[in-house]
Amino acid sequence: TPSLSSEIGNRHDDVTIKEAGDGNLNFVYIVVATRASFIIQQALTYERCIGESLPMIIEGKYFEAVTSKEHGGLCHDYVPQLDHLDRTIGMQCSEPPHIILRKGLITAIEYRFLSEHMFEYMVNSLFYGSLLYRPTTEDKCAAAVNVFVQWLNVVGMWNSVGSIYKEWRLKTIEQTWDLFHQKLNKDESGKAYLPAIYNLIQEEYMKELFHDTLGFGVAKMIRRIGGVDHVEDFESIREGSIRADSEAKALELANSHLKEKQQFLAIGEVISPIMQVQS
């Protein structure tokens, strides 16, 4: 587009472009030039990994951009800045890319402050963007996203990482949720409820949130294994028998947690069965 072309000085001789998508849905281009660099996501009118026989709408990219902008205003330290959006063609452009967290976890990188950073993002985007804090008129316009569920896709890498890293990864999940839970359990009534009413609903709200999060997370595990949109965690395991065994363990765990999610009262109870999964 003209606006993006102007960012790189309308010179194309020093521009390098690399397609870095996972092949499932969108095209993702990393654009690097002397004057500027950015990442472009281009939605398609069909499922990329299947073809035109499975149509898709490009409006999803617009709503993704709206959510990103909303969360960027609440937690700018952990959300890439959205520089450009073209709703008509389903294209968005954001600041230069960082390392994708999933790739770092696959290669067994330990991020020292990951639980604290995830907690800050969850609180700022979920709590301060929710009805618990915002007036009801604002909440109707607020976009929400569940980031915690990504942490539940951990079983697939059990055969390729060491026990110390497994323990760190699960401990990080537990710490992230505990910090989030502690923050929302504080006497901070926000604007939508009177303090007395807020205190009455707070405990039940957190219980429902925990069960909904767990249910959504394990349902996503099942979809990302049995559906079209697979994840690199499993796809990067080259040995077919090991990959199949890992997927089977993840599906068994997800199925069990989905059926019994109402029985869990704390994140430690969710983590314990995962710790018992043997490679």
Side-chain angles (χ1 to χ4, degrees), residues 54-88:
L54 185 58
M56 299 282 290
I57 61 172
I58 62 174
E59 282 292 284
K61 187 55 60 182
Y62 165 74
F63 292 108
E64 180 182 318
V66 170
T67 302
S68 180
K69 184 177 181 180
E70 174 77 14
H71 288 188
L74 295 168
C75 191
H76 60 84
D77 288 340
Y78 304 119
V79 180
Q81 178 180 328
L82 181 65
D83 294 328
H84 181 77
L85 171 66
D86 190 325
R87 186 175 183 177
T88 60

Side-chain angles (χ1 to χ4, degrees), residues 9-10 14 18 29 37 58 64-65 77 86 91 101 103 111 149 188 192 194 200 215 234 237:
N10 294 309
D14 67 339
K18 178 183 178 182
Y29 300 101
S37 59
I58 62 174
E64 180 182 318
D77 288 340
D86 190 325
M91 186 269 284
L101 177 59
K103 292 184 180 295
Y111 296 97
V149 298
E188 188 171 357
L194 295 173
L200 289 174
F234 292 116
I237 302 176

Side-chain angles (χ1 to χ4, degrees), residues 22-214:
D22 59 13
N24 289 322
L25 292 175
N26 306 312
F27 282 106
V28 181
Y29 300 101
I30 298 175
V31 181
V32 179
T34 302
R35 289 187 53 177
S37 59
F38 41 81
I39 184 168
I40 295 175
Q41 297 183 54
Q42 174 69 63
L44 299 175
T45 56
Y46 55 87
E47 184 92 17
R48 180 181 175 186
C49 61
I50 293 180
E52 297 183 11
S53 61
L54 185 58
M56 299 282 290
I57 61 172
I58 62 174
E59 282 292 284
K61 187 55 60 182
Y62 165 74
F63 292 108
E64 180 182 318
V66 170
T67 302
S68 180
K69 184 177 181 180
E70 174 77 14
H71 288 188
L74 295 168
C75 191
H76 60 84
D77 288 340
Y78 304 119
V79 180
Q81 178 180 328
L82 181 65
D83 294 328
H84 181 77
L85 171 66
D86 190 325
R87 186 175 183 177
T88 60
I89 61 174
M91 186 269 284
Q92 73 177 49
C93 173
S94 55
E95 64 180 0
H98 307 283
I99 295 175
I100 298 173
L101 177 59
R102 180 187 297 278
K103 292 184 180 295
L105 295 177
I106 289 174
T107 55
I109 296 176
E110 287 192 24
Y111 296 97
R112 183 178 177 184
F113 301 107
L114 183 55
S115 58
E116 288 87 350
H117 292 172
M118 290 290 291
F119 150 71
E120 289 180 29
Y121 173 73
M122 290 168 64
V123 166
N124 289 334
S125 62
L126 297 179
F127 176 66
Y128 292 115
S130 75
L131 188 60
L132 284 177
Y133 181 79
R134 306 176 77 153
T136 54
T137 52
E138 287 186 19
D139 185 70
K140 291 179 180 178
C141 301
V145 65
N146 195 327
V147 295
F148 175 72
V149 298
Q150 298 291 346
W151 290 99
L152 296 174
N153 274 310
V154 297
V155 182
M157 299 306 296
W158 260 206
N159 293 310
S160 57
V161 297
S163 59
I164 295 178
Y165 184 70
K166 298 173 189 177
E167 184 177 345
W168 170 83
R169 195 164 172 173
L170 292 173
K171 190 66 176 178
T172 300
I173 297 174
E174 188 170 7
Q175 289 175 343
T176 301
W177 181 263
D178 283 343
L179 287 169
F180 180 66
H181 184 271
Q182 291 167 15
K183 173 64 177 179
L184 266 65
N185 262 342
K186 287 186 176 180
D187 185 17
E188 188 171 357
S189 59
K191 304 174 183 178
Y193 297 99
L194 295 173
I197 299 176
Y198 181 85
N199 292 336
L200 289 174
I201 69 167
Q202 188 179 42
E203 182 177 351
E204 187 62 27
Y205 179 89
M206 288 303 300
K207 184 188 298 183
E208 290 184 6
L209 178 63
F210 179 64
H211 291 154
D212 286 348
T213 299
L214 179 58

